[in-house]
Amino acid sequence: MADDPQSERYAAASSTSRSLLMQLKDGQPAAWERLASLYAPLVYHWCRCMYVAEQDMPDVFQQVFQSVASHIKAFHKDQPGDTFRHWLRTITRNKIRDHFRRNSRQPQAAGGTDAQIYFAQLAAPPADAEGADAHDEVGEVQHLLRGALEQIRGQVHPQTWQAFWKVVVEGKTPEEVAQELAMRIGTVRVAKSRVLSRLRSELGELF
């Protein structure tokens, strides 16, 4: 079964278009909406890990994404480890540090002395920080993949999604899935390729 006309139009527009990163650099509003949907939960997670108060998070969020918008054209990948996620995490940490600096000058701000002590410790992470970062790395990647796949799921025909999921996630063969979903084997392979291609379009240059 083919995708419905609306999904086909989206596929034609997105699967052959430039990457999300290029669309961001061009300032396309839809790209910024997709970026915020994917990465806002991660920024929230980083804020929680660094003890930003809930009432202060909107201000930190605004500063983070304003900085991204101002500097996105300067972001580029020179080395394999140069990822958008790492770049965004650096921006977030810097904005959180700025937040604690401002609050440290205000009486009883952000938890008073406790917040100032925590801020002073940011420059000297614990000895096992590298191991913790590695653990966070896996979780962050998994989170982004889940978010991107959920976006894509709403953009393709349900049968296309089922075929992709059964082959890639459940590990079934195209022949098995074709029989189960009453599809042609070639159509199952196309469904798998279509979703993976869209996933690369969403996240490829951001990783």
Side-chain angles (χ1 to χ4, degrees):
M1 181 184 296
D3 285 356
D4 58 37
Q6 183 176 359
S7 295
E8 290 289 3
R9 284 196 297 271
Y10 183 90
S14 65
S15 63
T16 60
S17 65
R18 290 165 297 174
S19 69
L20 176 58
L21 182 59
M22 292 301 296
Q23 294 175 39
L24 290 170
K25 290 184 176 183
D26 285 345
Q28 297 184 19
W32 284 104
E33 291 177 7
R34 283 152 57 198
L35 180 82
S37 177
L38 286 171
Y39 283 91
L42 267 185
V43 174
Y44 177 81
H45 167 72
W46 293 328
C47 287
R48 289 285 302 272
C49 289
M50 295 178 70
Y51 302 102
V52 176
E54 290 283 342
Q55 66 268 21
D56 295 331
M57 286 191 187
D59 289 338
V60 175
F61 267 56
Q62 183 177 15
Q63 293 161 16
V64 167
F65 284 100
Q66 282 179 345
S67 182
V68 171
S70 299
H71 300 95
I72 186 64
K73 291 185 177 180
F75 171 74
H76 51 85
K77 297 179 64 174
D78 293 329
Q79 303 294 332
D82 294 340
T83 67
F84 179 85
R85 179 166 45 87
H86 292 161
W87 184 67
L88 178 63
R89 182 163 53 188
T90 298
I91 290 176
T92 303
R93 288 177 64 88
N94 288 340
K95 294 305 177 184
I96 291 173
R97 288 187 174 104
D98 291 344
H99 166 75
F100 279 117
R101 283 194 188 97
R102 288 192 300 270
N103 284 1
S104 68
R105 304 188 189 106
Q106 301 174 9
Q108 299 180 344
T113 303
D114 289 343
Q116 295 178 32
I117 293 174
Y118 174 76
F119 171 72
Q121 294 173 340
L122 288 178
D128 62 347
E130 184 175 350
D133 285 347
H135 177 74
D136 287 345
E137 190 88 0
V138 174
E140 290 170 10
V141 170
Q142 290 176 342
H143 175 85
L144 288 173
L145 287 174
R146 284 196 300 267
L149 287 171
E150 280 303 310
Q151 288 188 10
I152 294 170
R153 183 177 184 176
Q155 298 163 355
V156 300
H157 192 279
Q159 194 175 48
T160 298
W161 176 261
Q162 288 179 334
F164 157 78
W165 190 265
K166 289 179 180 296
V167 172
V168 174
V169 179
E170 296 181 8
K172 295 182 179 181
T173 67
E175 291 77 11
E176 291 172 332
V177 175
Q179 183 175 7
E180 184 176 340
L181 299 180
M183 299 171 66
R184 295 179 179 178
I185 297 174
T187 305
V188 172
R189 293 194 176 102
V190 169
K192 170 192 170 184
S193 297
R194 175 174 294 172
V195 175
L196 289 177
S197 176
R198 196 167 297 182
L199 182 62
R200 284 191 294 269
S201 177
E202 289 292 314
L203 294 178
E205 290 192 28
L206 300 183
F207 274 86

